[in-house]
Amino acid sequence: MQSLFEWDFYGRKSDLEPILQRNLDEFGPGLEETEFARELSAGVTGKLPVLDSIIAKAAPQWPIDQISVIDRNILRLGLFELLYEDKKAVPPKVAINEAIELAKNFGGESSGKFVNGVLGTVYKEMLEQNPELANNK
């Protein structure tokens, strides 16, 4: 999340990988799951237009560029996990709860509610299209 924030904050003008590597070196020495961080960051950047269009649809009153940088990237990360990760490895409700916690800890006063509302809307639509997802709590 931190690397996505930095990358977006500076206008997405550089490659995300060096930012991610610097943050892993500085803040995650000994971290064993670096591949997961790389997978998530590559997934978010690879699906960025799709993720942003979903955010725009789920929060029409908030144009993507008016959402705070931290909330925008938490939403992107949460949506990527919700939509594209293995549902058994990362159940939808876990992806949503993790995003809400990130928003509460790093976002503004109403970030948790905002992230919950957007991801909850997307999840509800997912359930309408595929009710079996309810079994992957």
Side-chain angles (χ1 to χ4, degrees):
M1 187 238 355
Q2 180 175 338
S3 297
L4 286 168
F5 171 86
E6 183 178 339
W7 174 72
D8 194 22
F9 182 82
Y10 288 110
R12 303 185 307 252
K13 294 177 183 171
S14 64
D15 186 28
L16 178 58
E17 177 57 30
I19 296 168
L20 178 63
Q21 187 59 53
R22 188 189 72 246
N23 284 329
L24 288 170
D25 291 344
E26 187 172 342
F27 302 110
L31 186 66
E32 294 178 16
E33 295 295 324
T34 60
E35 231 11 78
F36 184 63
R38 282 187 170 72
E39 176 188 320
L40 288 177
S41 64
V44 168
T45 57
K47 299 284 187 187
L48 193 65
V50 173
L51 297 172
D52 283 356
S53 70
I54 293 169
I55 294 168
K57 183 182 173 194
Q61 68 280 20
W62 288 97
I64 196 77
D65 62 338
Q66 290 183 9
I67 298 172
S68 74
V69 178
I70 193 69
D71 290 355
R72 183 169 56 229
N73 284 287
I74 291 169
L75 283 170
R76 289 171 174 159
L77 193 56
L79 277 173
F80 179 78
E81 286 191 299
L82 186 62
L83 298 173
Y84 300 105
E85 283 293 310
D86 176 10
K87 304 297 182 260
K88 290 183 177 156
V90 182
K93 290 184 180 182
V94 172
I96 293 169
N97 286 335
E98 288 175 354
I100 293 167
E101 287 306 311
L102 284 171
K104 286 179 181 178
N105 288 318
F106 298 103
E109 187 176 311
S110 61
S111 293
K113 290 178 184 178
F114 179 64
V115 167
N116 185 32
V118 173
L119 295 181
T121 296
V122 172
Y123 181 61
K124 182 178 175 185
E125 288 178 14
M126 288 172 63
L127 286 176
E128 289 171 1
Q129 294 174 6
N130 187 359
E132 290 179 15
L133 288 175
N135 298 330
N136 292 327
K137 297 184 169 89

